Amino acid sequence: MAAMEAELPVMTLESLPTDPLLLILSFLDYRDLINCCYVSRRLSQLSSHDPLWRRHCKKYWLISEEEKTQKNQCWKSLFIDTYSDVGRYIDHYAAIKKAWDDLKKYLEPRCPRMVLSLKEGAREEDLDAVEAQIGCKLPDDYRCSYRIHNGQKLVVPGLLGSMALSNHYRSEDLLDVDTAAGGFQQRQGLKYCLPLTFCIHTGLSQYIAVEAAEGRNKNEVFYQCPDQMARDPAAIDMFIIGATFTDWFTSYVSNVVSGGFPIIRDQIFRYVHDPECVATTGDITVSVSTSFLPELSSVHPPHYFFTYRIRIEMSKDALPEKACQLDSRYWRITNAKGDVEEVQGPGVVGEFPIISPGRVYEYTSCTTFSTTSGYMEGYYTFHFLYFKDKIFNVAIPRFHMACPTFRVSIARLSLQQVT
């Protein structure tokens, strides 16, 4: 028995077949693949097998076959070169780069001026200089995004969405890092907050908290909301928009490229449409999308401002004699406490639209609640153009409105504790 055992060949790493080893290596992450280079000469040679690096280039850097051909490099050298440039962002780069690529691809045929307003990416030394200027570290995912695009030129419309009412207009630009640094806040109420966006019409900004302070979590993105009843300027409530820069940016892009935010007159309008918020009466379909306006809202006193966009459409297959005109509207408005207000009046926004087969009529209006949420429903009354004595009602689907999560200011909480 001992003699037989002595005759068995000794299996070593050097004697293992190449194909099984390459298969095993193909399951390793790039870190482990690099570590294999230091184990043995054989593993060092195998871990340099170029097809092994293809997956990592695609996973972490989103490098396509076409880009590889253009650069005329092997996959491993592409991975290493990219890592030497943006390696510190490897945990964020793919998600941020995909969001930028998807956004530009979607906007180029629809809002070309907006895409042209984007700036080239910032350099590492530019971002390091901003950190030195403000005395705080920038979040890595924020830095990663600005390496790809350093915000946009201050133009209208802004990349981060618009909103228009009869006497109110908002359009938010994505600030470049130097402009953002100039708006870095050290004052009470917004301490350690960096503006991400700016609207030249309203002065509105979305901020990111680069440090945890005054009740904010680090990296949180929010709209500021001054307490209108407080004398203390540090009493600033917050409407929370994202837990991190990645969360904030990718969720916004997702809404845009999915068609959730409509493109109207070359602008992104931040209306949200619930697919279930549609009602059809006969040949007429009514759908509703809504938006919360933080710049016209306040937590204290409770005043939450919403705008809604109504689309009224008659089926193109309807008979010509179904053409009709809107006479009046009826609304039943209910807040979160169950309080009900009824509103009835002629036309909509001062108009009496005519609807015919295949035609669409859209309008926007607004409402406010003293509670953080509420809903509206109702109907329109129409008369037929060819049978003017015949009137009928068209249902407006119930649509809900709710303000984002908010957090009251530390200054107000401290005052309440004292009193």
Side-chain angles (χ1 to χ4, degrees):
M1 185 70 174
M4 291 179 62
E5 288 179 353
E7 294 175 2
L8 289 175
V10 178
M11 296 293 291
T12 66
L13 188 62
E14 301 299 326
S15 64
L16 286 174
T18 296
D19 287 347
L21 279 174
L22 286 175
L23 179 61
I24 293 170
L25 292 175
S26 71
F27 291 102
L28 299 183
D29 192 21
Y30 76 95
R31 299 175 182 86
D32 299 318
L33 203 55
I34 291 173
N35 288 335
C36 285
C37 295
Y38 304 102
V39 174
S40 71
R41 180 179 298 177
R42 177 107 192 276
L43 277 184
S44 178
Q45 292 172 340
L46 291 176
S47 63
S48 296
H49 185 59
D50 203 49
L52 293 175
W53 293 92
R54 178 178 180 272
R55 177 171 67 91
H56 301 300
C57 283
K58 289 179 175 291
K59 176 182 177 180
Y60 292 106
W61 312 130
L62 305 185
I63 298 174
S64 66
E65 301 280 351
E66 183 181 357
E67 288 177 289
K68 176 184 180 296
T69 302
Q70 289 174 350
K71 293 185 177 181
N72 195 27
Q73 289 180 268
C74 66
W75 287 113
K76 184 178 180 181
S77 66
L78 276 174
F79 184 92
I80 293 172
D81 286 352
T82 309
Y83 189 90
S84 65
D85 183 31
V86 290
R88 68 177 288 179
Y89 311 119
I90 196 164
D91 294 330
H92 308 287
Y93 188 88
I96 297 292
K97 181 69 162 58
K98 183 179 186 305
W100 272 117
D101 289 348
D102 289 348
L103 184 61
K104 289 188 292 183
K105 182 179 178 181
Y106 184 81
L107 293 179
E108 276 170 353
R110 297 170 175 85
C111 308
R113 288 186 305 148
M114 200 178 291
V115 177
L116 289 173
S117 75
L118 295 175
K119 295 186 174 183
E120 295 293 327
R123 301 172 303 169
E124 281 294 300
E125 49 264 40
D126 298 330
L127 297 168
D128 291 342
V130 165
E131 288 186 341
Q133 177 184 339
I134 67 176
C136 294
K137 292 290 185 183
L138 298 170
D140 267 355
D141 53 352
Y142 174 95
R143 288 183 61 122
C144 178
S145 181
Y146 277 72
R147 286 298 314 274
I148 299 169
H149 280 295
N150 186 14
Q152 67 174 138
K153 303 167 188 174
L154 290 178
V155 296
V156 174
L159 184 71
L160 269 296
S162 301
M163 185 56 59
L165 298 174
S166 58
N167 58 352
H168 180 78
Y169 179 72
R170 180 186 87 216
S171 188
E172 293 183 69
D173 290 297
L174 180 65
L175 294 176
D176 64 62
V177 69
D178 289 326
T179 305
F184 181 69
Q185 299 293 314
Q186 289 281 28
R187 66 185 178 93
Q188 295 297 316
L190 284 176
K191 200 170 181 64
Y192 305 129
C193 293
L194 187 76
L196 292 174
T197 70
F198 181 71
C199 170
I200 61 175
H201 298 277
T202 64
L204 182 73
S205 286
Q206 295 181 63
Y207 286 90
I208 185 168
V210 296
E211 296 287 350
E214 301 176 325
R216 285 179 294 275
N217 298 320
K218 187 175 181 178
N219 298 341
E220 222 164 28
V221 180
F222 64 95
Y223 280 110
Q224 63 164 320
C225 179
D227 186 337
Q228 298 177 8
M229 299 182 71
R231 295 181 180 179
D232 186 352
I236 295 177
D237 302 317
M238 297 164 287
F239 291 113
I240 310 300
I241 309 300
T244 63
F245 180 90
T246 300
D247 173 46
W248 170 77
F249 185 63
T250 57
S251 62
Y252 175 75
V253 171
S254 177
N255 272 315
V256 174
V257 303
S258 67
F261 289 162
I263 304 293
I264 307 171
R265 298 184 300 277
D266 299 326
Q267 300 184 63
I268 303 167
F269 276 77
R270 297 177 65 167
Y271 284 103
V272 178
H273 174 64
D274 181 351
E276 296 183 0
C277 193
V278 177
T280 299
T281 305
D283 297 303
I284 299 177
T285 298
V286 178
S287 58
V288 187
S289 53
T290 64
S291 184
F292 174 71
L293 272 64
E295 70 271 28
L296 299 179
S297 301
S298 68
V299 174
H300 195 232
H303 177 85
Y304 305 99
F305 193 104
F306 298 88
T307 178
Y308 52 90
R309 182 168 176 252
I310 306 280
R311 178 185 174 92
I312 307 172
E313 180 176 10
M314 180 175 282
S315 169
K316 63 180 180 180
D317 298 324
L319 297 173
E321 54 265 32
K322 292 296 183 74
C324 53
Q325 185 170 20
L326 190 152
D327 294 322
S328 63
R329 69 194 186 280
Y330 166 80
W331 288 111
R332 181 179 173 88
I333 307 168
T334 307
N335 68 16
K337 295 179 180 178
D339 301 328
V340 176
E341 178 186 4
E342 294 181 283
V343 177
Q344 193 161 10
V348 289
V349 293
E351 297 182 354
F352 299 85
I354 292 175
I355 307 295
S356 56
R359 297 294 298 273
V360 174
Y361 175 78
E362 295 177 308
Y363 74 95
T364 59
S365 190
C366 55
T367 191
T368 61
F369 290 99
S370 60
T371 56
T372 56
S373 63
Y375 63 86
M376 295 174 62
E377 58 195 328
Y379 60 81
Y380 299 116
T381 299
F382 283 82
H383 72 265
F384 288 111
L385 294 182
Y386 297 98
F387 312 97
K388 294 188 178 181
D389 58 334
K390 290 187 177 181
I391 63 173
F392 62 99
N393 293 334
V394 171
I396 305 170
R398 176 181 293 188
F399 55 97
H400 293 263
M401 292 159 282
C403 79
T405 300
F406 64 82
R407 192 174 304 129
V408 299
S409 69
I410 291 295
R412 176 143 58 93
L413 286 176
S414 300
L415 181 62
Q416 290 173 346
Q417 292 171 356
V418 171
T419 57

